[in-house]
């Protein structure tokens, strides 16, 4: 019987729901309603835990892209950055250069790419519900995953601090004790060798299980570093190489190993304990950085000019290679004489660093689930994580002496979360919880920056202490069988102390940076986030929802002051979002169409400016300000279809519009610009067809094609800091034996050999350089997998 509430909701939402149904019909018109197929080829019921309890994806009133292990493998996706290629309005890219081995992340135009611990990420990354607080080392290998859940839109209540744009949650396979396992080997372009294996067995029958997994991956780089002096002997640059081919090395190569051990103990019928430990050791080459342009006019470019013997070589576009996969970076420099202050006794000596990275990431996670009664359960998540990352950068990307850096980031963190899940009769599901997180990050650096001021070189060793605690509650009221009202609130308090340390190398510090020593930068703040959401299930095929939610990203202090007067704090930024969405399954669950539209009210946006008229000095500068407010509007659609047996089609599309509504003075920003990382459009299409062979084996070709729109990387937009959009194609053919024990695959990524950039560092107005990270060219590989 239809209740009064049901009737009212239907009358309010009926026009929009009918429009959604019509759009779904247009999206895939290949099947008529009277052609409803048998359910044996229906789309899988995906289960997610975004609201602190297990729910079907199609019943969860949040815009979520959920990808299981099988789909990850069929798409050739092995890293976190790769898995988001098919997620609408999501941009996760591997960093490099000055930002080191890590990942920048943005969802719906909100995120962060700077690795420095003074800043907070705008997208929360979680591994088995454990928050990963840094962008450094965050481009995880997707080892032995069960699924990935990408929640779009602010997750301030459900995800916590810094999940302002959304959250990315990785969930590992749990031990089953079934004596199963697999080993997979891949060999391909540039001597790729990728071996990974899994084993799952019982230590005590029916109660204690162990699952171990590991991966080892090596691959040569694809950007060739050449000796400029060898290549151009009349340039005035001395040769570093004794080889006729002028070869110095490669960039972009991979060399890492990772392992994970997970224990699962069914202590009683009411208590389950899961403990996991993981470690990754990454000794990869420096990122594939190439010089894109040189502006020889600004003072930074003039300072970069280097004297070799009696010849002074200017910094010009002569160092921009004609081949995009070539670099003349030498990772060496000659110290000049100080422009200010006493003479530098080290002037004329050289600096030389090896262009490699080293990152070690490890952690432990203890999760205890205790069923207190039929309607009450307690969950405890205790975790410790640590990473140690070192890298170097040659920021003039040439053999000249403009900018070198050697970085060392060490972090350790502890977190504890408690959740009490319960029911009030059958009408209300609720979660009450508390969270504590504490970390210390030490940022040690050796900076050689004569482009800024002649003789500018220093050692830094900055400990950054941060802590936070939160209390939260979330409830779902099942008003009727069709209508649910979801509400939540979270209070968060956080503190951060940044300790500056600036020590000279040989001579004395310029700009009076030694006055920073012992002078802490402080941030202390709190925030209340809320969420109100209503979802209504019209029938088995269609659910619609409407929500309003908030989130925030914590504040801090300027991490890179070029003088004591540039030590300025910045406050938190906040987001208020309004969203409408629909989730639908049609034709006996052979067609799935999920759509969402949103308006974000983005306030006190944190932006780093490279010229700061309000500070002293105004240039050079790299200070962060709460620069203004903006509105972000967007739409998203995700489609998956099984129109006939064996055929799978998936597609996504998104559109984003960013508009500043308010800007503070003296920023150089204008209302018509966009924030860094704003990607207006993005879409993807994937298709695969499984066909049966003689004897029961199968052959499955798959093709994926995607477009990722362009975006700018600096707060003040110019054409030179624009990363161009690109199309990308990947393909795979998989053969599986009849018993499923053996698999073989032929894989191709970047099938059409597209040369494109994933990021950009535009310093043309200061140091005179513009460089970018170029993506790998086409790669072909073969893969063998054995299950047991």
């Amino acid at each position: 019987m239809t209740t009064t509430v049901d009737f009212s909701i239907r009358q309010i939402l009926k026009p929009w729901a009918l429009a959604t149904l019509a759009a779904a019909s247009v999206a895939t018109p290949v099947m008529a309603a009277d052609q409803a197929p048998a359910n044996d080829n229906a789309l899988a019921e995906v289960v997610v835990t975004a609201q602190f309890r297990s729910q079907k994806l199609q019943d969860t009133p949040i815009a979520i892209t959920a990808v299981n292990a099988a789909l990850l493998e069929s798409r050739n996706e092995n890293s976190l950055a790769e898995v988001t290629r098919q997620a609408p309005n999501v941009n996760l890219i591997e960093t490099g250069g000055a930002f080191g081995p890590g990942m920048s992340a943005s969802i719906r135009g909100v995120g962060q790419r700077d690795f420095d611990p003074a800043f907070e990420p705008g997208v929360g990354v979680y591994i088995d519900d454990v928050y990963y607080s840094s962008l450094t080392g965050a481009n995880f290998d997707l080892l032995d995953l069960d699924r990935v859940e990408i929640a779009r839109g602010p997750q301030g209540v459900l995800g916590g601090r810094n999940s302002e744009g959304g959250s990315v949650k990785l969930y590992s396979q749990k031990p089953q004790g079934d004596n199963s396992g697999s080993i997979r080997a891949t060999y391909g372009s540039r001597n790729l060798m990728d071996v990974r294996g899994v084993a799952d067995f019982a230590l005590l029958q029916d109660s204690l299980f162990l699952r171990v997994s590991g991966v080892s991956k090596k691959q040569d780089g694809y950007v060739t570093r050449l000796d400029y002096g060898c290549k151009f002997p009349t340039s005035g640059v001395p040769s570093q190489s004794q080889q006729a081919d002028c070869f110095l090395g490669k960039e972009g190569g991979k060399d890492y190993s990772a392992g994970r051990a997970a224990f699962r103990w069914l202590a009683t019928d009411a208590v389950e304990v899961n403990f996991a430990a993981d470690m990754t050791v990454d000794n990869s080459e420096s990122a594939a950085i190439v010089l894109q342009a040189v502006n020889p006019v600004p003072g930074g470019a003039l300072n970069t000019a280097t004297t070799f013997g009696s010849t002074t070589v200017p910094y010009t576009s002569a160092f921009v290679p004609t081949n995009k996969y070539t670099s003349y970076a030498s990772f060496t420099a000659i110290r000049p004489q100080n422009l200010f202050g006493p003479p530098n006794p080290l002037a004329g000596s050289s600096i030389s660093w090896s262009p490699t990275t080293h990152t070690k990431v490890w952690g432990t996670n203890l999760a205890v689930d205790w069923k207190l009664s039929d309607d009450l359960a307690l969950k405890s998540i205790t975790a410790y994580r640590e990473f140690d990352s070192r890298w170097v950068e040659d920021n003039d990307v040439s053999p000249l002496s403009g900018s070198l850096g050697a970085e060392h980031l060490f972090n350790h963190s502890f977190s504890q979360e408690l959740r009490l899940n319960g029911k009030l009769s059958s009408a209300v599901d609720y979660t009450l919880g508390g969270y504590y997180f504490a970390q210390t990050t030490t940022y040690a650096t050796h900076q050689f920056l004569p482009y800024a001021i002649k003789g500018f070189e220093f050692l830094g060793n900055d400990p950054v202490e941060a802590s936070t605690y939160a209390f939260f509650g979330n409830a779902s009221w099942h008003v009727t069988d069709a209508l649910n009202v979801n509400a939540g609130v979270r209070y968060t308090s956080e503190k951060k102390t940044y300790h500056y340390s600036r020590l000279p190398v040989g001579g004395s510090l310029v700009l009076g940076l030694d006055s920073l020593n012992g002078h802490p930068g402080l941030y202390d703040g709190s925030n209340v986030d809320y969420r109100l959401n209503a979802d209504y299930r019209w029938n088995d095929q269609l659910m619609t929802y409407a929500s309003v939610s908030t989130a925030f990203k914590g504040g801090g202090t300027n991490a890179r002051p070029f003088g004591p007067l540039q030590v300025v704090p910045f406050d938190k930024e906040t987001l208020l979002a309004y969203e409408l969405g629909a989730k639908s399954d049609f034709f006996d669950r052979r067609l799935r169409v999920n759509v969402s539209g949103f308006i974000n009210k983005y306030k006190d946006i944190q932006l780093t400016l490279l010229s700061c008229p309000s500070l002293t000095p105004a240039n050079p500068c790299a200070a962060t300000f709460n620069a203004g407010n903006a509105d972000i509007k967007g739409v998203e659609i995700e489609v998956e279809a099984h129109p006939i047996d064996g055929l799978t089609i998936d597609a996504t599309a998104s559109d984003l519009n960013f508009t500043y509504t308010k800007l503070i003075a003296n920023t150089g920003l204008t209302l018509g610009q966009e924030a860094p990382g704003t990607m207006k459009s993005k879409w993807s299409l994937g298709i695969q067809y499984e066909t049966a062979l003689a004897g029961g084996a199968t052959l499955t070709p798959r093709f994926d094609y995607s477009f990722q729109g362009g975006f700018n990387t600096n707060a003040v937009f110019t054409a030179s800091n624009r990363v161009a959009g690109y199309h990308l194609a990947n393909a795979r053919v998989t053969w599986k034996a009849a018993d499923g024990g053996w698999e073989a695959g032929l894989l191709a990524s970047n099938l059409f050999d597209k040369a494109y950039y994933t990021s950009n560092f535009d310093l043309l107005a200061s140091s005179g350089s513009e460089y970018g990270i170029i993506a790998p060219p086409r790669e072909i590989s073969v893969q063998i997998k054995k299950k047991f």
Side-chain angles (χ1 to χ4, degrees):
M1 180 177 178
T2 303
T3 67
T4 302
V5 176
D6 277 341
F7 180 78
S8 301
I9 294 294
R10 287 177 185 271
Q11 291 299 107
I12 293 170
L13 297 180
K14 185 177 180 180
W16 183 59
L18 291 175
T20 302
L21 287 165
S25 299
V26 172
T28 308
V30 297
M31 291 181 287
D34 60 354
Q35 293 177 314
N39 207 39
D40 56 355
N41 197 40
L43 293 162
E45 290 283 14
V46 180
V47 176
V48 297
T49 55
Q51 294 192 119
F52 300 129
R53 66 184 190 275
S54 295
Q55 288 179 284
K56 295 177 183 178
L57 174 67
Q58 297 304 91
D59 290 337
T60 305
I62 300 172
I64 299 177
T65 298
V67 186
N68 62 22
L71 187 54
L72 290 172
E73 186 168 341
S74 70
R75 288 175 172 172
N76 310 332
E77 293 169 341
N78 292 314
S79 72
L80 189 54
E82 291 174 338
V83 78
T84 60
R85 192 173 293 130
Q86 285 85 3
N89 276 329
V90 179
N91 186 17
L92 272 63
I93 59 175
E94 189 171 358
T95 56
F99 288 169
M103 184 185 68
S104 69
S106 67
I107 297 178
R108 293 181 173 177
V110 178
Q112 163 70 10
R113 75 172 188 149
D114 198 324
F115 74 93
D116 195 285
F119 310 109
E120 300 293 334
V123 173
V125 177
Y126 301 80
I127 305 174
D128 296 325
D129 287 325
V130 174
Y131 176 61
Y132 194 86
S133 62
S134 173
L135 300 175
T136 300
N139 190 25
F140 303 107
D141 186 280
L142 304 180
L143 176 63
D144 197 27
L145 284 188
D146 174 65
R147 69 189 187 279
V148 178
E149 296 180 13
I150 304 169
R152 305 186 300 276
Q155 303 296 310
V157 173
L158 299 172
R161 61 193 289 266
N162 304 327
S163 296
E164 188 183 23
S167 63
V168 180
K169 296 186 176 183
L170 287 68
Y171 291 95
S172 306
Q173 297 277 5
K174 280 188 175 184
Q176 302 299 317
D178 55 3
N179 298 317
S180 65
S182 67
I183 186 166
R184 192 183 85 184
T186 307
Y187 178 78
S189 302
R190 306 195 317 276
N191 295 314
L192 167 66
M193 180 57 72
D194 183 325
V195 179
R196 55 190 67 212
V198 178
D200 191 321
F201 47 90
L203 299 177
L204 295 175
Q205 189 173 0
D206 300 328
S207 64
L208 182 61
F209 314 133
L210 170 64
R211 187 178 181 94
V212 293
S213 52
V215 58
S216 176
K217 180 176 181 177
K218 292 186 178 182
Q219 187 175 28
D220 297 340
Y222 54 93
V223 167
T224 301
R225 286 197 310 116
L226 295 179
D227 182 347
Y228 189 85
C230 169
K231 192 77 173 175
F232 304 97
T234 62
S235 64
V237 177
S239 174
Q240 295 178 296
S241 173
Q242 304 300 316
Q243 303 179 75
D245 60 3
C246 304
F247 178 79
L248 290 179
K250 292 280 191 178
E251 294 178 350
K254 298 295 184 183
D255 182 0
Y256 66 82
S257 298
R260 182 176 184 272
F263 295 87
R264 183 182 179 202
W265 179 32
L266 305 179
T268 69
D269 291 341
V271 177
E272 178 178 331
V273 179
N274 285 275
F275 175 79
D278 66 271
M279 178 179 289
T280 299
V281 178
D282 189 339
N283 293 308
S284 296
E285 297 168 351
S286 291
I289 296 292
V290 294
L291 189 63
Q292 297 171 295
V294 170
N295 178 9
V297 176
L302 298 177
N303 286 345
T304 297
T306 304
T307 300
F308 300 98
S310 60
T311 303
T312 299
V313 181
Y315 189 45
T316 70
S317 58
F319 297 104
V320 179
T322 56
N323 185 324
K324 291 184 178 180
Y325 297 99
T326 298
S327 172
Y328 299 124
S330 65
F331 292 87
T332 64
I334 299 173
R335 291 183 172 95
Q337 189 55 263
N338 288 351
L339 184 63
F340 303 107
N344 183 359
L346 297 179
S349 63
S350 62
I351 305 172
S352 181
W353 288 319
S354 174
T356 56
T357 68
H358 172 76
T359 301
K360 180 180 179 181
V361 182
W362 70 274
T364 59
N365 177 6
L366 175 65
V368 180
D369 291 273
W370 183 12
K371 187 176 181 180
L372 301 173
S373 69
D374 290 341
D375 295 329
L376 197 63
L378 179 66
K379 186 178 186 71
S380 170
I381 306 170
T382 308
Y384 177 85
R385 296 209 63 88
E386 183 176 299
F387 71 80
D388 187 326
S389 186
R390 304 167 191 253
W391 69 93
V392 299
E393 68 261 11
D394 184 336
N395 291 319
D396 54 71
V397 201
S398 78
L400 302 190
S401 305
S403 174
L404 286 179
E407 322 286 12
H408 180 195
L409 207 62
F410 176 76
N411 171 282
H412 60 87
S413 63
F414 171 81
S415 63
Q416 174 64 55
E417 183 170 1
L418 292 174
R419 300 177 192 164
L420 184 67
N421 291 330
K423 287 179 177 291
L424 296 177
S425 67
S426 60
V428 176
D429 291 295
Y430 66 87
T431 301
L432 302 175
Y435 178 74
Y436 174 76
F437 178 85
Q439 67 173 340
T440 298
T441 308
T442 301
Y443 175 32
T445 184
H446 182 171
Q447 290 293 322
F448 175 76
L449 305 170
Y451 85 85
I453 295 178
K454 288 285 189 181
F456 190 12
E457 182 179 5
F458 67 89
L459 299 176
N461 188 36
D462 299 354
V464 184
E465 299 156 354
S467 63
T468 183
Y469 65 85
F471 302 99
F472 57 90
N474 193 74
S476 295
W477 176 29
H478 312 298
V479 182
T480 71
D481 290 342
L483 174 65
N484 300 300
V485 176
N486 309 285
V489 64
R490 179 185 289 251
Y491 170 78
T492 302
S493 176
E494 56 183 5
K495 294 182 179 180
K496 180 183 292 185
T497 305
Y498 198 108
H499 303 276
Y500 296 98
S501 172
R502 301 292 184 266
L503 301 176
V505 180
S508 59
L509 284 174
V510 300
L511 298 175
L513 289 187
D514 52 346
S515 64
L516 292 171
N517 294 332
H519 177 71
L522 302 174
Y523 169 74
D524 189 345
S526 63
N527 202 65
V528 175
D529 287 309
Y530 63 87
R531 170 181 182 251
L532 182 61
N533 175 295
D535 64 82
Y536 188 79
R537 178 155 292 283
W538 299 78
N539 49 44
D540 290 342
Q541 290 75 44
L542 177 65
M543 183 270 281
T544 58
Y545 67 89
S547 69
V548 55
S549 56
T550 70
F552 81 102
K553 182 169 70 176
T557 187
N558 182 12
R560 300 183 180 94
F562 286 88
L565 297 180
Q566 284 193 356
V567 179
V568 290
F570 56 91
D571 203 357
K572 65 188 178 185
E573 65 177 32
T574 61
L575 191 74
L576 168 64
Y578 303 93
E579 181 172 343
L580 294 175
K583 297 190 175 186
S584 56
D585 286 331
F586 301 115
F587 309 114
D588 205 15
R589 270 203 357 262
R590 285 204 175 191
L591 171 64
R592 178 167 294 162
V593 182
N594 293 344
V595 296
S596 57
F598 58 89
I599 299 174
N600 290 344
K601 298 292 184 178
Y602 198 10
K603 189 176 180 181
D604 297 324
I605 304 170
Q606 298 169 6
L607 294 175
T608 298
L609 303 179
L610 300 182
S611 179
C612 312
S614 62
L615 300 182
T616 303
N619 191 22
C621 179
T624 300
F625 297 85
N626 295 104
N629 304 337
D631 287 346
I632 305 175
K633 302 175 183 179
V635 293
E636 302 160 344
I637 182 170
E638 296 180 280
V639 179
E640 186 177 359
H642 292 181
I644 61 175
D645 291 352
L647 178 62
T648 300
I649 301 171
D650 56 81
T652 67
S654 58
D655 184 80
L656 197 69
N657 180 270
F658 183 102
T659 305
Y660 281 118
T661 58
K662 176 185 176 182
L663 289 170
I664 64 171
N666 296 321
T667 61
L669 298 168
T670 61
L671 292 177
Q673 295 178 345
E674 296 177 338
T678 302
M679 183 185 299
K680 179 174 175 56
S681 59
K682 182 181 181 182
W683 57 262
S684 69
L685 174 66
I687 183 169
Q688 71 179 45
Y689 182 71
E690 181 182 89
T691 183
L693 303 176
T698 61
L699 188 69
T700 306
R702 181 178 176 90
F703 181 74
D704 287 285
Y705 195 68
S706 61
F707 171 75
Q708 189 153 300
F711 58 93
N712 57 291
T713 55
N714 287 3
V716 179
F717 171 73
T718 63
S720 57
N721 62 58
R722 185 74 176 176
V723 177
Y726 59 87
H727 296 83
L728 189 65
N730 295 333
R732 177 186 178 113
V733 178
T734 305
W735 171 87
K736 291 185 180 182
D739 63 359
W742 284 96
E743 297 180 15
L746 177 63
L747 292 64
S749 59
N750 194 0
L751 182 64
F752 302 135
D753 205 20
K754 172 74 173 179
Y756 64 96
Y757 297 90
T758 62
S759 190
N760 167 285
F761 292 80
D762 176 17
L763 302 171
L764 290 175
S766 53
S767 73
S769 70
E770 177 197 355
Y771 63 90
I773 302 174
I774 194 166
R778 178 171 50 228
E779 298 178 358
I780 306 294
S781 58
V782 293
Q783 188 176 95
I784 302 294
K785 183 176 182 179
K786 170 61 178 174
K787 295 181 179 179
F788 53 85

